[in-house]
Amino acid sequence: MPQTLAGGKYKLAKDISQQAGSSVPHEGPNEHDIKAAGGQYSSGTKSLVMLGLYGVIDDPETAVDHTIRGMTRDGKTEVAVADKEFMPSGGGDSLTCGVDVRTEMGQKVTLPFCVWADSSTSGNVAETDAAHLAKDPQSIDLQAFADKADTIRSEVRKPLG
């Protein structure tokens, strides 16, 4: 995992690659020989988690769908703004972004996220802001978040081999 993300705005607080690797299936009907990499990053009051998988992905759309559905499987997280596709302002491949709300110890936490996948990688980025934990999910600028996630995607993508 890089030491910084989003053009140096976020600094790596904790590498969660090993933890992520143990919670992700390495073989499945759609994914094969999967390895995980992830990190928790911070910038002021904001905390960002980036999780990436690499290997062989038969159907990237299915991988995106599985990731998004998996985010609400814990029983504490619900969809606040349904996911939809965004094109980065600078061009490039689309991302699927939305907003979930998770309840932690009675506190609602607003969690914007973006997910992407291709034939060899999938990734997702989610962010919380301690200064605005229960921010109105409808007020989040998902295009701006998609642009930030696209910057991060370009920083973490590595060529095969």
Side-chain angles (χ1 to χ4, degrees):
M1 295 306 300
Q3 290 300 305
T4 63
L5 286 179
K9 291 185 185 117
Y10 292 81
K11 297 200 180 333
L12 181 64
K14 182 180 181 189
D15 188 315
I16 58 170
S17 298
Q18 195 170 0
Q19 177 187 343
S22 64
S23 66
V24 172
H26 301 280
E27 284 294 329
N30 189 51
E31 295 92 12
H32 315 284
D33 197 23
I34 295 295
K35 293 170 186 57
Q40 291 177 333
Y41 291 81
S42 60
S43 175
T45 59
K46 294 182 179 182
S47 178
L48 183 135
V49 173
M50 190 282 143
L51 181 63
L53 304 176
Y54 57 100
V56 176
I57 299 172
D58 296 333
D59 180 1
E61 223 171 275
T62 297
V64 166
D65 193 53
H66 285 175
T67 300
I68 292 170
R69 301 305 151 244
M71 295 164 90
T72 56
R73 208 176 291 135
D74 63 5
K76 299 181 214 163
T77 307
E78 56 194 51
V79 176
V81 175
D83 56 271
K84 66 179 194 179
E85 255 184 69
F86 287 84
M87 292 305 292
S89 296
D93 298 331
S94 68
L95 302 105
T96 303
C97 305
V99 183
D100 288 345
V101 172
R102 179 184 302 145
T103 304
E104 291 179 6
M105 296 182 288
Q107 168 75 48
K108 291 206 177 297
V109 178
T110 302
L111 197 66
F113 67 85
C114 286
V115 180
W116 67 87
D118 57 34
S119 62
S120 62
T121 61
S122 82
N124 68 71
V125 174
E127 182 179 73
T128 58
D129 186 343
H132 307 284
L133 279 179
K135 185 174 183 169
D136 175 8
Q138 306 298 326
S139 73
I140 293 180
D141 182 347
L142 280 176
Q143 181 63 58
F145 192 70
D147 291 344
K148 182 189 299 185
D150 183 56
T151 298
I152 292 168
R153 171 173 60 185
S154 67
E155 292 169 338
V156 298
R157 261 189 181 159
K158 301 282 182 251
L160 282 174

